[in-house]
Amino acid sequence: MLDISRRPLPPAASPLDALAGAAKAVPAASLRALPASARLAFRGGERAAGLAGIAFGVELPREACRFNTASGKLALWLGPDEWVLLAPGLDPAPLFEGIEASLGSEPHALVDISSRSVGIELSGARAAFVLNQGCPLDLSTAAFPVGMCTRTIFAKSEIVLIRTAPDAFQIDVWRSFAAYVWGLLEEARREFE
Amino acid sequence: MQKFSGLELFRRALGGHQSWQPQWRNPEPKAEYDVVIVGAGGHGLATAYYLAKEHGITNVAVLERGWLGGGNTGRNTTIVRSNYLFDESAALYEHAVKLWEGLSTDLNYNVMYSARGVLMLAHNHHDVISFKRHVHANRLNGVDNEWLSAQECKAFCPPLNISSMRYPILGGALQRRGGTARHDAVAWGFARGADSRGVDIIQNCEVKGIRRDATGAVEGVETSRGFIKAKKIGVSAAGHTSVVMAMAGLRMPLESYPLQALVSEPVKPAFPTVVMSNTIHAYISQSDKGEMVIGAGTDAYTSYSQRGALHITTHTLDAICELVPQFRRLRMLRNWGGIVDVTPDRSPIIAKTPVKGLYVNCGWGTGGFKATPGSGNVFAHTIAKDEPHKINAPFTLERFRDGFLIDEAAAAAVAH
Amino acid sequence: MSGSFRTPVGGRIDRLNPVSFSFDGHFYRGFKGDTLASALLANGVHLIGRSFKYHRPRGVISAGSDEPNALVDVSRGGGRTTPNLRATQVELYEGLAAESQNRWPSLSFDAGAMNDLAAPFLPAGFYYKTFMWPAGAWKRFYEPKIRAMAGLGRAPVEADPDRYTQHYAHSDVLVVGSGPAGLAAALAAAASGAKVILVDEQAELGGSLLAETEATIEGKPAKDWLADTVAALAARDNVTLMTRTTAFGYFPHNMIALAERVTEHLPNPAATLPRERLWQVRAKEVVLATGALERPLVFPDNDRPGVMLADAGRTYLNRYGVQPGRRAVVFTACDAGYRAALDLAAGGVTIAAIADLRAAPKGELPARALAAGIDVRPGTAVVGTKGRLRVSAAELAKLRGEAAHGLGPVERIACDVVLMSGGFTPSVHLFSQSRGKLAYDPALQCYVPGASVERERSTGACRGIYGLTAVLEDGYAKGEAAAHAAGGGPVPARELTAEATDTGTDGFIGATPHPRNPAFAKAFVDWQNDVTSKDIKLATREGFRSIEHVKRYTTTGMATDQGKTSNMNALGIVSEALKTPVPQIGLTTFRPPFTPTTFGIFAGAARGDLFDPVRTTPIHGWAAERGAAFEDVAMWKRAHYFPKGGEDMHAAVARECRAVRTNVGIFDASTLGKIEIVGPDAAEFMNRIYTNAWSKLEPGRLRYGVMLREDGFVTDDGVIGRMAPDRFHVTTTTGGAPRVLAMMEDYLQTEWPDLKVWLTSTTEQWAVIAVQGPKAREVLAPLVEGIDISKEAMPHMSVREGRICGAPTRLFRVSFTGELGFEVNVPAEYGRAVWEQIYAEGERHGICPYGTETMHVLRAEKGYIIVGQETDGTATPDDVGLGWAVGKAKKDFVGKRSLARAAMSAPDRKQLVGVLTTDPNVVLEEGAQIVADPEAPVPVPMLGHVTSSYHSAVLGRSIALAVVKGGRARIGSKLVVPMPDRAIEIEITDPIFYDPKGERLDA
Amino acid sequence: MLIINCPWCGDRPEIEFRYGGEAHIARPADPATLSDEEWAEFLYNRTNPKGRHAERWRHIHGCGRFFNAVRDTVSDFFVATYKPGEPRPDLKETQP
């Protein structure tokens, strides 16, 4: 890709811009739209995963449904040969090229999906309760500890759910489903207003 | 057969109804029959009835594992319509509707065929084209079906929500001759009619095997009540067809899925017709007793458990509440499941099989009830004549080998 | 009579909190803690409803969710109207307004009661035997009459404004029922440290203990023990206590569905609260402590208001401080009747007599009744009652031996309440729903749980254990076992001894003897559905031998109480009529829900925009601001057209079409499905999935791909770009994206796991802006960086990467309009900004935004198909003119073998053609059929149908696409589209109407 | 809602999965050599047993992987789940 641009990047927009601006403060289940993040889908075998982890700066977890994190970046296990590399606030292009370069001829697939989804943070004492209004998983810290991540269901949308603290979750959701997920979360936390 | 009529009812009331005779006998199986029908659901009983009535074959037994009419006949949502797209299907279901229209009189049993109309809702452009294609094809096939605008849908069924919803209604296809019938009465009416013509209905008699002679032709059935010899065997076992046909060594293009239905508590008349929405997956009518009768598609996996998952019910009812938001406060009274046998093209098989003397009527999926009299009628013909009636001639097993599918599902994406 | 039946002290009602309410417009007072039933009884109101069929006056029979009779309509105004609520479960709140049902003009004078006189002509199943003449009269005449008479309450007519929510929960041990067994189970499980949920349908925990005045547990009065136990459980972090919560369904793999009524008992619920909540609880272990239901006795006229279950009478007195009457006759087959009589006597009610079916009742309670001077009559039956709207007397007769009519003379005893008890039936509903097999216990004359199928244990009365100490011990043991199985810690031993009078296990099922003519006496089995013992006998006489048949023929057990009070008695009557033991008659299936459950909780928040996700593109807001009309395509909202100044769709689309053909148009194609296929075997994978060949496609080039199902029919299509030797950018139809990806994953993972290739959905990564028209290049040229978009450098069907408006782009040169065209892919967050900049640049060139309708017209002018419109799942590639896209030289691809079947090359297959009406102003209806001879007799042979039809602005006439049998051979011939009012003449043409040589594409 | 044991993610609720029909029906290596009968057998005929059924599931809203399971179609209880490529477990030895 020729990367000599005389123009600045155009203004970015998120489907949550208006919704997040209008959200009420509900401390028991606080909702926040997360800032933009680089997201790379990485697919490949064991050796490729090892190389990719080194290039990304976060080892790719081999344990199912766990994430590793370092210097603000997250490597999420989503499947036995599938990871998502999250780098909040970073430009995906250099990350992409760095990992590609490090893999050489090792079979793998790297796809930039930075724009595919948006991030939502749900935190507070009732965060898990609110999530369980649409998510069928056991969200007790015993069953879904800090450090766990997985694709799952939230009502009629697929999400990636990440537990970053006992009372804090990140939700990664495809852009066009984000308003729906946000709306349902708003509905679900109303009783804690 | 004792005649049923208002006058008879009045006459016997004076005697405290002590003089009514059993509506059917409870016979012991004979050693041999000309025809054994496996399965005493509506289709099997209708087959026996028409074998006796139209073909004079009365040495017939209908074998039933449980109690007659206890399978899908007694579990379905009783919708009757014939506005199918393809010529073959339209002919088959229209044959059934014509029989429905005279069935109470024919059987001397009030099956409560209620032509209150079946309205299928269109929520997007694809639905609109598809339904209009149906309307035009049906008209040319002599099947009533008409296109209604959204406002006309509302006028025909005032409780409907047509606009303040996620997928507003763009119109609908209405078959005015469609409607409902009383499911139990259909089984009982055919049973009584068949029994009175000499057919033995043998309940609590499970078929365990199909015996074949040296030439491969059928010899009879092994049952929980012993071996019963039969010149011909007609399998009408719905969800259990694969199991029965395996006894004759045949593999079938069938999968059996749970299909759930539910009713609300009874309320005074509040819903005048049958409404179906395939786009949001639900259908609803109100029974004569006042219950809202509601159903949707099958569960996701094959099963003989006769029950399904709660998440199917939640999706069915969220669709119903979207269509009729004032019913949100009604309450579910009963929820149950049946087992439906589904073919790859969602059309039935009513045919001879590669085994001599073995005939099969199956693959009705979610739509078998509406065809009951027509299906029994042409299946009886197929068994009696050893060749299909022209109406069921296309519904062969061989169509899957040759590719001559009758793919209503693909063509219309409409639930039956 | 207001308040006159309220005892001065006692009960659990809150006497400091009086509550006023209305029933049928009359105002009454009760207390907080009352149910509507207890408050009405306290006011001397027994007549609460009319029966379903005969409209007989009916009162309260029970004190709980088994109530068959006392159904009312409760309204909070507007859409907040709920029919068919049981007065025994409706909690009183200030201002509650209830109305009786199924009566006209009034409850005490109901015209429908004429049906009772006609009852001889309305036996079970009468409607199957009549209303058949004349043909068609059923639908026109009889059915409307029957329907108007049937039904109970009225459905609300306004949309329900209340909110409902849903919740998934998990527990180690779920205990259903908070009577003594359930509490003991919860205590044990809680002590293990396991996560425990205890649910009860009532407003308070305690079950039978709530009406207990005499027993002691662990040395404390039951009331105190209950309070202490509830407090102890509530104090634990690992225990969740839920009241007003009905466990209504037992689903596979230990998922229990609960309905929690959150606000129904509140006078003014907060708007933030949901009315009800559906809980889907996954429990490692379940303890069912659902108790037992008292059985009524089936005797003539047992349905008069004032006839109620004995234990219900006791509950009204002990729990609610209400005398069910002044003077009671008790009819019993077990000691529970004596317990009720003794409690009521102590509460100031005169016990006129106790008629006991048993010849020689033994045990402590009968002895105490005798000692208390109560007129106890062993071997005696109540054989009838008197009274119009309320029982005024009971008729008793002595039983003589075993003979059916061996009865002594009838004695009439005045009373205003008849208490009956036929013993208790274990509440096995949830156990049975769990698919556990029931076992008949001949000693108890009831079904009890057999072997469990799920990880479940039944405890206490629901498995036939009676006696308070035994129940508590069983509950504690089951709770401990469940906790252990769920991985809980050790449970300390605890002696839960109780002092209580045992009511024994006697009982009766069936109909009790009476001297009346059995052909005419009305002894009710199912109160709500008006099923009498003679109806059941009629069914057996008519050959209905299976209990399922009897149930369906008579409707017994099919009312809103689902036979809680009636099922065992019906079995007893069938058993006697057929001279067959009960277990051989079978048992009807217990189906969810346990009690009727509000539709709203199943729907939850799914309404309107939360019914299904409303998927919108990054450019949606721009279109909405410009007044675009939208259409639903799968879950997406797509801009349909952009009307200007009052234009209708036709005018807007004509303008948009002209703009694209003459200048340039801009279209939001973001909803197209996109899949990135990456890996060294990417091309091989493409070869196997698509009909065409991909190996030789150069990077930087695009190709149109067709995809079949394995059965040979077209399932999707799209333009695919090769970004690199090992990377394809695949596009799919909007609706087909999930299906296509799922199908690709299926083949890749299960058939070809050896291929080194991976699939990633990128549908939402890219916003896609189609810029189409002769001036497209001029519009884009100044905005693009790093790409030479000249005709020579970037020919039709090529792709380049670079930047546009500063954003990275994959720029496709592709056209679905037949014009020079580009599709600009940019990361989604830049979609709107890039769109706006292109639009601004384009304004100098007359750029026009267009919607899906214009897109459809333009592609139809070019004869391009839309999968799902020209195809319907029964079309082969050749059928729709895509035979050229099938790689004949390829050995295999998905669907290839099926194309070789006989039917796939039949001469009369429908083929894609163009259609022109002879009258250019007639636009055919999409879906219209095509025939050769519209005058042919029905069924008219049909040749095909119109798949797409539009007015073409650029051609100045209508055009259509169609699939027609042998269509390509018919080009140039005339056929007919028959409409109801006219026959439209058409000519079959080539499907390409505009620029057939494709010169504009290469501009 | 069934609980399904994903070989990678463990016990998860049914709504995260998609059913994939009967298992161990391999696509013929060279379909062109098959007769119409043989092709129809592959395409359409299914065992559809009442009892133990080997079937495919995909953890579509989880790890995305296809896997196989043996389930009793009468009780809906799973006997086993296993990764693709692994043989169908010997069912006689495994009790529900």
Side-chain angles (χ1 to χ4, degrees), chain B residues 251-288:
Chain B
R251 276 168 63 80
M252 298 293 289
L254 291 174
E255 289 184 298
S256 295
Y257 287 93
L259 178 67
Q260 300 186 65
L262 65 97
V263 293
S264 74
E265 294 183 304
V267 287
K268 292 290 177 194
F271 205 78
T273 185
V274 182
V275 166
M276 312 177 67
S277 168
N278 193 61
T279 296
I280 62 173
H281 300 295
Y283 44 89
I284 176 170
S285 65
Q286 187 174 17
S287 74
D288 287 337

Side-chain angles (χ1 to χ4, degrees), chain C residues 16-100:
Chain C
L16 298 178
N17 265 308
V19 172
S20 68
F21 69 100
S22 71
F23 177 63
D24 278 352
H26 297 282
F27 288 85
Y28 300 98
R29 291 180 83 77
F31 292 108
K32 191 162 182 286
D34 262 326
T35 63
L36 177 61
S38 69
L40 285 171
L41 294 179
N43 285 281
V45 178
H46 276 250
L47 174 63
I48 295 183
R50 289 277 175 171
S51 69
F52 189 78
K53 186 167 156 187
Y54 303 132
H55 289 251
R56 284 167 68 104
R58 291 287 168 80
V60 177
I61 286 185
S62 80
S65 63
D66 50 342
E67 175 61 35
N69 262 355
L71 304 187
V72 297
D73 177 303
V74 174
S75 177
R76 293 174 187 258
R80 293 190 170 93
T81 297
T82 317
N84 299 345
L85 292 174
R86 295 179 177 80
T88 51
Q89 285 188 295
V90 173
E91 290 179 55
L92 216 57
Y93 56 82
E94 182 63 33
L96 177 128
E99 293 221 18
S100 58

Side-chain angles (χ1 to χ4, degrees), chain C residues 634-658:
Chain C
M635 281 191 262
W636 291 99
K637 289 280 181 199
R638 300 196 74 182
H640 195 193
Y641 56 95
F642 290 81
K644 266 187 168 172
E647 281 177 331
D648 62 7
M649 183 172 92
H650 180 80
V653 169
R655 174 179 51 73
E656 292 170 15
C657 287
R658 277 193 297 270

Side-chain angles (χ1 to χ4, degrees), chain C residues 323-352:
Chain C
Q323 294 175 337
R326 303 287 188 222
R327 185 177 159 84
V329 166
V330 177
F331 184 21
T332 190
C334 63
D335 289 359
Y338 292 87
R339 184 173 63 179
L342 287 163
D343 282 8
L344 261 62
V349 178
T350 303
I351 306 299

